[in-house]
Amino acid sequence: MHLTYLGHSCMLVETSGSKILIDPFISGNTLAKHIDPATVEADLVLLTHGHGDHVLDAEAILKRTGATLFSNYEIVTWYGKKGIDKGVGMNIGGATTVGQLRIKYVNAIHSSELPDGSYGGNPGGFVVSGPEGAFHHAGDTALTMDMQLLKRHALKFACLPIGDHFTMGVDDAVEAAQLMGVKTVVGMHYNTFPPITIDTEQAKATFAKAGLTLLLPAIGERITI
Ligand code: NI
Ligand code: MN
């Protein structure tokens, strides 16, 4: 699998011939000024919840690429009213098959409201499974015992928030990885705004001390994972 970090919680994962774009927030991210959202490719767009720092560029990217949207029912319905009719509205615990991939919407402890104040359903994360293995994108979440349930997916890696304040911080993310049984974590939701600024070297050291690897790719960097 290949993963390109596009800043904040936005990941582009390439697996089994599909480009999966998760939580596109690029044009509003001052740290991602060198990324042009108009050049981002996607076959599938996954939105974990309705907050602007996860959905800002979704509409434009969905319309330009013709990608299929996966999110909760309320968010997919909201985008449907904007003319995006290729959407799969799910709910917590449900999975759907697209090509060789299985996409499951799993629990997150957070909130969800769309940019215009509309109800954004329950927030979630995703487990994407395919021939190349499975990965998790947690969206915005607190540490929760439900993460133990993800062990069964034998995750190759997990994208976890580490910025604290609005989500888990580093210490809780280490515990989350342990509950999930995952050794490799891609950190997200940090440094974008002042309240979520962290010491990245200290974060890596905290993960290493627990026998885990914290990957913090540069914004725009594509890694093999
Ligand atoms: Ni949020
Ligand atoms: Mn957020």
Side-chain angles (χ1 to χ4, degrees):
M1 285 189 257
H2 298 286
L3 177 147
T4 306
Y5 182 52
L6 295 171
H8 201 51
S9 295
C10 183
M11 308 283 167
L12 178 66
V13 179
E14 297 161 70
T15 184
S16 307
S18 289
K19 291 187 172 74
I20 306 165
L21 180 69
I22 308 162
D23 284 2
F25 170 73
I26 300 164
S27 61
N29 184 354
T30 52
L31 302 180
K33 278 195 190 321
H34 57 296
I35 309 291
D36 180 0
T39 64
V40 174
E41 295 176 58
D43 301 307
L44 315 176
V45 173
L46 277 50
L47 300 179
T48 60
H49 64 294
H51 289 157
D53 63 316
H54 297 257
V55 309
L56 182 69
D57 297 304
E59 183 180 350
I61 292 172
L62 283 160
K63 285 183 173 166
R64 175 175 52 81
T65 60
T68 304
L69 169 64
F70 295 79
S71 189
N72 67 38
Y73 174 79
E74 290 81 1
I75 290 174
V76 169
T77 302
W78 190 77
Y79 277 99
K81 289 177 191 152
K82 292 173 173 292
I84 289 156
D85 49 14
K86 279 170 71 181
V88 180
M90 310 172 66
N91 214 324
I92 303 289
T96 186
T97 301
V98 50
Q100 293 182 290
L101 299 174
R102 187 98 174 128
I103 297 177
K104 186 168 188 175
Y105 193 56
V106 299
N107 208 17
I109 304 294
H110 192 63
S111 57
S112 180
E113 183 184 55
L114 286 152
D116 66 355
S118 298
Y119 174 57
N122 286 314
F126 291 96
V127 174
V128 178
S129 311
E132 296 177 357
F135 72 92
H136 175 51
H137 186 296
D140 283 356
T141 186
L143 175 64
T144 161
M145 294 299 277
D146 290 353
M147 289 165 171
Q148 295 174 102
L149 295 171
L150 303 186
K151 238 180 185 165
R152 65 178 95 159
H153 297 289
L155 301 169
K156 281 185 87 172
F157 67 93
C159 302
L160 301 180
I162 56 171
D164 219 335
H165 196 93
F166 302 113
T167 67
M168 300 188 286
V170 170
D171 291 342
D172 281 2
V174 165
E175 205 162 337
Q178 289 165 336
L179 291 179
M180 294 174 193
V182 71
K183 293 276 183 204
T184 303
V185 170
V186 180
M188 61 182 189
H189 215 271
Y190 70 96
N191 285 0
T192 319
F193 314 112
I196 60 172
T197 299
I198 65 162
D199 181 334
T200 52
E201 287 312 310
Q202 198 182 319
K204 283 183 184 173
T206 302
F207 273 78
K209 210 171 158 189
L212 307 172
T213 302
L214 176 66
L215 300 175
L216 299 176
I219 297 174
E221 186 180 351
R222 181 174 182 263
I223 59 172
T224 301
I225 189 166

